[in-house]
Short mmCIF file of all heavy atoms in Angstrom, two decimals:
data_model
loop_
_atom_site.label_atom_id
_atom_site.label_comp_id
_atom_site.label_asym_id
_atom_site.label_seq_id
_atom_site.Cartn_x
_atom_site.Cartn_y
_atom_site.Cartn_z
N ILE C 34 -7.32 29.62 14.64
CA ILE C 34 -8.17 30.79 14.88
C ILE C 34 -8.46 30.94 16.37
O ILE C 34 -8.38 32.03 16.95
CB ILE C 34 -9.48 30.67 14.06
CG1 ILE C 34 -9.16 30.79 12.57
CG2 ILE C 34 -10.49 31.72 14.49
CD1 ILE C 34 -10.29 30.44 11.66
N GLU C 35 -8.77 29.80 17.00
CA GLU C 35 -9.09 29.82 18.43
C GLU C 35 -7.89 30.31 19.24
O GLU C 35 -8.02 31.15 20.13
CB GLU C 35 -9.49 28.41 18.87
CG GLU C 35 -9.82 28.27 20.34
CD GLU C 35 -11.19 28.82 20.69
OE1 GLU C 35 -11.95 29.12 19.75
OE2 GLU C 35 -11.49 28.98 21.88
N ARG C 36 -6.72 29.80 18.88
CA ARG C 36 -5.52 30.18 19.63
C ARG C 36 -5.27 31.68 19.50
O ARG C 36 -5.01 32.37 20.49
CB ARG C 36 -4.32 29.39 19.11
CG ARG C 36 -3.11 29.49 20.04
CD ARG C 36 -1.86 28.95 19.42
NE ARG C 36 -1.95 27.56 18.99
CZ ARG C 36 -1.96 26.51 19.82
NH1 ARG C 36 -1.91 26.70 21.11
NH2 ARG C 36 -2.03 25.29 19.35
N GLU C 37 -5.40 32.18 18.27
CA GLU C 37 -5.16 33.61 18.06
C GLU C 37 -6.18 34.46 18.80
O GLU C 37 -5.86 35.50 19.37
CB GLU C 37 -5.20 33.93 16.56
CG GLU C 37 -3.89 33.57 15.87
CD GLU C 37 -3.94 33.77 14.37
OE1 GLU C 37 -4.96 34.25 13.87
OE2 GLU C 37 -2.94 33.43 13.72
N ARG C 38 -7.42 33.96 18.81
CA ARG C 38 -8.49 34.72 19.46
C ARG C 38 -8.23 34.83 20.97
O ARG C 38 -8.28 35.91 21.55
CB ARG C 38 -9.83 34.03 19.19
CG ARG C 38 -11.04 34.93 19.36
CD ARG C 38 -12.29 34.20 18.90
NE ARG C 38 -12.46 32.92 19.56
CZ ARG C 38 -12.91 32.78 20.80
NH1 ARG C 38 -13.25 33.84 21.49
NH2 ARG C 38 -13.03 31.59 21.35
N ILE C 39 -7.91 33.67 21.56
CA ILE C 39 -7.69 33.67 23.01
C ILE C 39 -6.47 34.51 23.36
O ILE C 39 -6.47 35.29 24.32
CB ILE C 39 -7.51 32.23 23.52
CG1 ILE C 39 -8.84 31.50 23.40
CG2 ILE C 39 -7.03 32.21 24.97
CD1 ILE C 39 -8.80 30.07 23.82
N ALA C 40 -5.43 34.38 22.52
CA ALA C 40 -4.20 35.14 22.79
C ALA C 40 -4.48 36.65 22.70
O ALA C 40 -3.98 37.43 23.51
CB ALA C 40 -3.13 34.75 21.80
N LYS C 41 -5.30 37.04 21.74
CA LYS C 41 -5.64 38.45 21.56
C LYS C 41 -6.38 38.97 22.79
O LYS C 41 -6.09 40.04 23.31
CB LYS C 41 -6.51 38.60 20.32
CG LYS C 41 -6.30 39.89 19.57
CD LYS C 41 -7.19 39.89 18.35
CE LYS C 41 -6.61 40.68 17.22
NZ LYS C 41 -7.38 40.50 15.99
N GLU C 42 -7.34 38.14 23.25
CA GLU C 42 -8.12 38.54 24.42
C GLU C 42 -7.23 38.75 25.64
O GLU C 42 -7.46 39.63 26.46
CB GLU C 42 -9.18 37.48 24.74
CG GLU C 42 -10.43 37.60 23.87
CD GLU C 42 -11.31 36.37 23.99
OE1 GLU C 42 -11.10 35.57 24.92
OE2 GLU C 42 -12.19 36.21 23.12
N ASN C 43 -6.19 37.91 25.73
CA ASN C 43 -5.31 38.00 26.89
C ASN C 43 -4.08 38.88 26.64
O ASN C 43 -3.18 38.92 27.47
CB ASN C 43 -4.85 36.60 27.31
CG ASN C 43 -6.02 35.80 27.83
OD1 ASN C 43 -6.61 36.14 28.85
ND2 ASN C 43 -6.40 34.78 27.11
N GLY C 44 -4.05 39.49 25.45
CA GLY C 44 -2.90 40.34 25.14
C GLY C 44 -1.60 39.59 24.99
O GLY C 44 -0.53 40.10 25.30
N MET C 45 -1.68 38.36 24.54
CA MET C 45 -0.48 37.53 24.44
C MET C 45 -0.12 37.21 23.00
O MET C 45 0.66 36.29 22.75
CB MET C 45 -0.68 36.21 25.19
CG MET C 45 -1.30 36.33 26.54
SD MET C 45 -0.04 36.47 27.78
CE MET C 45 0.14 34.79 28.24
N LEU C 46 -0.73 37.94 22.07
CA LEU C 46 -0.59 37.55 20.66
C LEU C 46 0.87 37.46 20.24
O LEU C 46 1.27 36.55 19.52
CB LEU C 46 -1.34 38.56 19.78
CG LEU C 46 -1.62 38.10 18.35
CD1 LEU C 46 -2.38 36.80 18.33
CD2 LEU C 46 -2.40 39.16 17.60
#
Side-chain angles (χ1 to χ4, degrees):
Chain C
I34 292 169
E35 178 77 11
R36 193 191 302 287
E37 280 176 4
R38 201 173 55 78
I39 292 178
K41 213 178 210 171
E42 279 167 15
N43 293 296
M45 315 268 266
L46 197 56

